[in-house]
């Protein structure tokens, strides 16, 4: 049995807490923490009466808490991961690992110095069945050498207009990891173009279009539309020299009815990736019982941050940017 504490009990933290409490054998949610205490109390009740904390240090130090999930807003991830590392407790941290390269590097160096893997990153597309099927096809070699990665990641409408930095660091981070994981290649160059969202706010982004090149010469493009008006979708298409393959676009079937053919589109990530979120925490708990996490690493989080930073620099300068060649610690 792994006794888990959940930091941040909003949309994602609430989902992880309930999945751990009700869908994960060998896991128990024993504590939750949120600056919004009534929110934490509600989730604690849903999880069968977990302890409620209002500050980070207390939940990390609680002797009943053996492992933690971080699902607070992005700027608070780095401090929370560092607290878990210092306490020697395993942690599943939502993406992004941090919001600056310096913070991500500090976490990487601290974990490496500790001599054991404690951190897993929430790049949960690795647990999505359509993505796994595409990965298996690629790994079989049937598509031949890849020449193009196309990632489409679109949302219906976020509550507030988003800055270009937030779109890249918070959302495109998923697509950056997808490309690295599926192609098993590192980025060498990126180029950002984008369409503004609010006319008199030049920092806001409605549509991000990123181009990229990888070490082996494969090219790629990522499209992130923050306001489709029609729903949420994540698609990946990989073209190889011997064919191309694309993930299924939605969880619902294609319907033919009254002379129309249609496929309902998911409203958001909580619906589209419902199964993947369950499988992610189930796998995480099993891996901890076996000794250490086996999912996406601190290294993956750090590299995603370095690539995201290059996309941000390209957005600001209007020029393609080189992605530094990084040496992975042994
Ligand atoms: P949310 O706004 O629904 O929830 C955030 C919660 O954190 C709120 O309850 C808020 O009161 C609490 N909070 C604020 N400051 C805090 C602090 N210092 N310490 C602890 N809790 C604090 O946001 P949402 O959508 O749940 O996102 C949370 C994280 O999950 C973000 O980092 C986001 O990037 C990530 N996320 C990941 C997704 C994925 O597919 N892997 C999907 C959606 C979000």
């Amino acid at each position: 049995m792994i006794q888990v504490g959940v930091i941040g009990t909003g949309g994602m933290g609430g989902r992880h807490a309930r999945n751990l409490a009700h869908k994960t054998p060998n896991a128990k949610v024993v504590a939750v923490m949120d600056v919004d205490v009534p929110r934490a109390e509600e989730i604690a009740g849903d999880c069968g009466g977990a302890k409620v904390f209002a500050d980070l240090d207390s939940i990390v130090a609680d002797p009943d808490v053996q492992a933690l999930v971080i699902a607070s807003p992005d700027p608070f991830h780095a401090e929370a991961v560092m607290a878990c590392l210092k306490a020697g407790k395993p942690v599943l941290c939502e993406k992004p690992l941090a919001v600056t390269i310096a913070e991500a590097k500090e976490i990487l160096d601290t974990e490496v110095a500790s001599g054991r893997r404690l951190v897993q990153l929430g790049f949960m597309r690795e647990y999505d069945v359509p993505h796994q099927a595409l990965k298996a096809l690629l790994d079989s070699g049937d598509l031949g050498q890849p020449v193009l990665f196309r990632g489409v990641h679109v949302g219906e409408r976020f509550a507030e207009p988003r800055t270009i930095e937030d779109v890249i660091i918070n959302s495109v981070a998923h697509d950056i990891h997808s490309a690295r994981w599926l192609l098993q290649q590192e980025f060498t160059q990126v180029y950002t173009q984008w369409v503004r969202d609010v006319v008199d706010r030049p920092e806001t982004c409605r549509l991000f279009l990123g181009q990229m090149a990888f070490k082996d010469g494969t090219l790629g493009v990522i499209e992130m539309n923050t306001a489709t008006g029609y729903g949420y979708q994540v698609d990946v298409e990989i073209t190889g020299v011997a064919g191309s393959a694309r993930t299924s676009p939605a969880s619902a079937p294609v319907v033919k009815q009254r002379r129309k053919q249609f496929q309902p589109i998911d409203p958001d990530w909580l619906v589209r990736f419902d199964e993947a979120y369950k499988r992610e925490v189930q796998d995480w708990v099993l891996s901890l019982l076996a000794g250490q996490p086996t999912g996406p690493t601190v290294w993956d989080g750090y590299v995603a941050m370095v690539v995201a930073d290059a996309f941000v620099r390209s957005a600001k300068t209007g020029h393609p940017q080189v992605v530094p060649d990084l040496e992975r610690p042994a």
Side-chain angles (χ1 to χ4, degrees):
M1 176 71 69
I2 301 283
Q3 301 191 158
V4 183
V6 178
I7 297 169
T9 51
M12 270 323 299
R15 175 59 64 95
H16 286 319
R18 290 190 185 105
N19 281 343
L20 283 161
H22 305 300
K23 310 277 180 199
T24 310
N26 299 313
K28 189 170 183 210
V29 176
V30 294
V32 296
M33 178 258 154
D34 200 300
V35 291
D36 179 349
V37 173
R39 172 79 194 149
E41 284 169 347
E42 186 191 329
I43 298 297
D46 288 353
C47 294
K51 282 185 251 185
V52 175
F53 292 98
D55 76 285
L56 175 67
D57 292 341
S58 307
I59 189 169
V60 174
D62 188 297
D64 290 337
V65 173
Q66 297 171 315
L68 292 110
V69 171
I70 298 171
S72 47
D74 302 359
F76 303 107
H77 291 184
E79 183 194 3
V81 177
M82 286 300 288
C84 296
L85 282 175
K86 282 182 183 145
K89 295 190 179 182
V91 57
L92 170 60
C93 177
E94 263 311 335
K95 56 81 212 166
L97 175 62
V99 291
T100 65
I101 294 178
E103 286 172 339
K105 183 73 167 52
E106 188 188 3
I107 295 168
L108 177 69
D109 291 344
T110 306
E111 194 192 51
V112 169
S114 82
R116 62 186 177 128
R117 251 206 88 177
L118 284 171
V119 185
Q120 175 164 326
L121 253 291
F123 289 129
M124 81 303 164
R125 291 185 193 170
E126 290 199 23
Y127 301 92
D128 176 55
V129 172
H131 279 79
Q132 289 180 338
L134 180 62
K135 170 95 173 120
L137 185 61
L138 271 170
D139 291 351
S140 76
D142 220 29
L143 294 179
Q145 166 66 34
V147 291
L148 181 68
F149 170 97
R150 284 183 61 214
V152 177
H153 179 184
V154 302
E156 185 154 353
R157 188 54 162 143
F158 288 86
E160 294 292 329
R162 300 178 63 195
T163 64
I164 180 71
E165 277 102 333
D166 181 54
V167 166
I168 294 171
I169 293 170
N170 176 285
S171 298
V172 174
H174 270 308
D175 308 287
I176 292 169
H177 181 70
S178 247
R180 293 184 60 244
W181 170 62
L182 288 165
L183 297 172
Q184 293 292 300
Q185 280 296 318
E186 296 299 349
F187 286 68
T188 53
Q189 197 185 47
V190 298
Y191 178 47
T192 304
Q193 289 177 294
W194 92 97
V195 176
R196 197 175 290 180
D197 192 5
V198 183
V199 179
D200 56 358
R201 286 182 55 196
E203 77 285 6
T204 58
C205 170
R206 184 179 182 105
L207 180 92
F208 162 94
L209 194 66
Q211 291 179 50
M212 57 254 198
F214 297 89
K215 262 189 182 163
D216 68 347
T218 304
L219 299 179
V221 61
I222 296 170
E223 171 193 331
M224 166 85 213
N225 184 341
T226 65
T228 60
Y230 60 69
Y232 175 83
Q233 245 178 330
V234 169
D235 294 325
V236 176
E237 185 176 76
I238 305 232
T239 303
V241 293
S244 111
R246 183 176 186 166
T247 52
S248 320
S251 50
V254 176
V255 180
K256 293 180 187 177
Q257 204 176 39
R258 292 184 281 277
R259 295 191 186 139
K260 279 187 185 153
Q261 175 172 307
F262 61 92
Q263 182 174 37
I265 296 174
D266 295 319
D268 59 31
W269 48 91
L270 293 172
V271 176
R272 167 64 182 84
F273 290 111
D274 178 46
E275 275 304 310
Y277 294 131
K278 285 180 206 146
R279 300 174 85 217
E280 177 184 36
V281 293
Q282 289 163 353
D283 189 80
W284 178 62
V285 165
L286 279 180
S287 73
L288 296 189
L289 287 167
Q292 63 172 12
T294 50
T297 60
V298 163
W299 177 249
D300 293 325
Y302 170 65
V303 176
M305 186 64 229
V306 170
V307 175
D309 180 74
F311 272 123
V312 171
R313 281 189 281 115
S314 176
K316 291 195 166 160
T317 59
H319 298 296
Q321 299 291 313
V322 170
V323 178
D325 200 4
L326 302 165
E327 199 176 324
R328 184 177 182 146

